[in-house]
Amino acid sequence: MGSADESKARRRVHNKMALPIAAAGILLYGSWLLLSADSKTLPTPAVEIPLKSDPPVGSNFLTPSPGPVVSPDSSSRSIFAPGSLSMTRVDSMSKCWVDPKGMYRTHFGDALCVVSESKKMVFYHVRKSGSSTGREVATKTFGGRDMQNCKRRAADIKDYYTVAFVRNPITRFFASYEEMFVRTLGLHKVPKQFDVFHADLENYKAYERLFCGPDADLPRSRGRKPCDQIPTRETGELAHRFERFVKSWDGTMFETHLGFQAPVLSSNDGKPFRLDFIGDTKHTNEHWQEIGKNLNVPKVDVIRGRAYPRRMNITYLQTETYERICRLAAIDFCCLNFELPPQCANAGVACEWEEHDGEQRIVPRVTKR
């Protein structure tokens, strides 16, 4: 073999080895971070889990992952990794199928929306995915009005421009849990088998002391609670409560904020709503400007929605907790084309093309429980 051929061969070997070596390095580093954390001295505030690749601003696209689009435990071409499809979120969601009799059967919801007759636009609420901001923009800038159960008006709005915003399934799950935690606190509305996280807390003040310490008992200043906007000070108690909930929850929706995004954007027969634009909450302003451009609205005023620092300190969470969240939220990872975070590399979550009513549809494929 000539020197040129030898050089090409060496490059091929190097390229094949580089990806697994890099992946192994990331996993080892993540494991070191988890193992080295001292549960008594971790003051680090909660941080967002980044996506491996964000959709380019203004394109409504996700960048496909490199490498083969197949499950590690199957050679079937119908199996693919979450976030690996070379298509927009609009296109991947349009191919989704949510089993009406499966684990997401309680997640379809009532399809709240804002309808603008003047702009022929519909904004679908997806809770904890920029819905407060979206509702404000859709009503004030686009002249819309709130509407309950938009599914019943499907025929009336079939020619309207339809919009929804979605969010990274992991960070959204954190936010959904904390919203549910507060809304059900002290009301005894959580099914007994899942109430393993706040049954012993009498009221919000008891909860506040867990993430704010003694400042929870300070008086309001200028109408605001002193604990509203400070980073969490919790020392693992709230994270452990969250882990107990994740371990016990089977996906049955008992509070509306727990509903996953793909089912919320689907009809009760499992097929998705027709959507023209799916924005990402990481690019809220840019994506609303694009929506405005599409509807001949030159400038869209985007307000900042309700936002609070995360109450639990996620640096205490174990890898097994992330894996279970990824399995629970598999429908969102697959149908909305989100990549799994590094913590879920061994979660047993893949996606699959499956035939339903004569069409190829995207469904989650979970091989672990």
Side-chain angles (χ1 to χ4, degrees):
M1 181 182 293
S3 58
D5 292 333
E6 290 175 346
S7 177
K8 290 180 180 178
R10 283 195 296 271
R11 284 198 298 272
R12 283 196 296 270
V13 171
H14 177 269
N15 290 338
K16 288 180 179 178
M17 293 176 64
L19 185 58
I21 289 173
I26 292 170
L27 289 172
L28 286 172
Y29 180 68
S31 299
W32 176 83
L33 285 175
L34 287 169
L35 292 171
S36 64
D38 182 346
S39 62
K40 295 182 180 179
T41 60
L42 262 178
T44 311
V47 294
E48 295 292 320
I49 300 299
L51 288 173
K52 292 180 183 176
S53 57
D54 287 331
V57 175
S59 70
N60 212 23
F61 272 86
L62 270 181
T63 304
S65 302
V69 188
V70 294
S71 167
D73 63 350
S74 173
S75 60
S76 170
R77 298 297 296 177
S78 68
I79 310 297
F80 60 93
S84 64
L85 293 176
S86 299
M87 59 172 58
T88 68
R89 285 200 179 123
V90 166
D91 288 339
S92 64
M93 184 62 207
S94 73
K95 300 295 183 183
C96 185
W97 189 74
V98 184
D99 186 354
K101 298 180 180 180
M103 70 168 286
Y104 302 111
R105 64 188 178 278
T106 58
H107 290 244
F108 290 110
D110 49 7
L112 297 175
C113 68
V114 177
V115 177
S116 169
E117 303 290 354
S118 61
K119 293 297 180 183
K120 304 294 182 185
M121 184 198 80
V122 177
F123 167 73
Y124 286 108
H125 287 244
V126 180
R127 292 175 175 89
K128 309 314 296 182
S129 295
S131 59
S132 296
T133 296
R135 178 176 175 270
E136 186 80 3
V137 172
T139 53
K140 291 191 174 180
T141 301
F142 293 88
R145 58 189 178 87
D146 290 326
M147 187 164 296
Q148 301 284 331
N149 205 336
C150 295
K151 294 176 183 178
R152 295 179 182 176
R153 284 205 58 191
D156 299 332
I157 59 177
K158 63 183 178 68
D159 297 323
Y160 283 32
Y161 188 77
T162 51
V163 173
F165 274 70
V166 296
R167 183 177 180 180
N168 176 347
I170 291 288
T171 58
R172 181 178 179 271
F173 192 89
F174 293 153
S176 296
Y177 165 80
E178 292 193 325
E179 185 82 23
M180 175 276 295
F181 191 111
V182 172
R183 287 177 177 268
T184 59
L185 185 59
L187 299 179
H188 308 291
K189 289 186 175 182
V190 179
K192 187 175 181 180
Q193 65 269 34
F194 308 138
D195 197 3
V196 294
F197 55 94
H198 72 7
D200 60 320
L201 298 178
E202 294 181 1
N203 50 39
Y204 186 83
K205 183 62 68 177
Y207 168 54
E208 200 171 34
R209 291 188 184 109
L210 291 176
F211 66 81
C212 193
D215 285 357
D217 297 307
L218 293 175
R220 288 176 177 265
S221 175
R222 296 181 181 179
R224 299 183 68 180
K225 293 182 179 179
C227 297
D228 276 356
Q229 297 299 327
I230 65 169
T232 183
R233 297 172 182 171
E234 79 109 349
T235 57
E237 175 63 27
L238 290 178
H240 297 328
R241 288 170 181 264
F242 172 74
E243 291 190 312
R244 292 200 297 269
F245 169 72
V246 171
K247 187 175 181 179
S248 70
W249 192 45
D250 63 2
T252 302
M253 191 177 76
F254 58 87
E255 203 280 331
T256 188
H257 291 86
L258 292 176
F260 290 115
Q261 297 169 104
V264 168
L265 294 172
S266 299
S267 299
N268 293 347
D269 62 359
K271 293 184 179 180
F273 298 158
R274 181 188 60 78
L275 290 166
D276 296 299
F277 192 98
I278 297 180
D280 191 305
T281 57
K282 293 192 76 171
H283 304 291
T284 298
N285 184 64
E286 295 92 333
H287 285 174
W288 270 112
Q289 300 308 324
E290 185 173 347
I291 293 166
K293 189 183 301 182
N294 293 339
L295 295 174
N296 296 316
V297 176
K299 187 178 186 303
V300 179
D301 293 322
V302 179
I303 64 150
R304 184 176 181 269
R306 293 181 294 115
Y308 298 96
R310 183 162 298 125
R311 303 316 193 186
M312 64 177 168
N313 189 334
I314 63 173
T315 60
Y316 290 101
L317 299 181
Q318 300 298 308
T319 301
E320 291 79 7
T321 301
Y322 281 97
E323 290 178 344
R324 179 150 177 80
I325 295 171
C326 287
R327 290 193 285 270
L328 287 166
I331 191 72
D332 283 353
F333 281 106
C334 290
C335 289
L336 294 169
N337 209 18
F338 277 104
E339 290 184 73
L340 295 174
Q343 295 93 331
C344 290
N346 297 310
V349 176
C351 312
E352 185 171 10
W353 288 103
E354 193 173 85
E355 185 172 327
H356 290 278
D357 296 329
E359 297 180 271
Q360 288 296 309
R361 295 281 178 180
I362 296 171
V363 297
R365 188 175 190 267
V366 178
T367 58
K368 293 182 182 180
R369 294 294 172 189

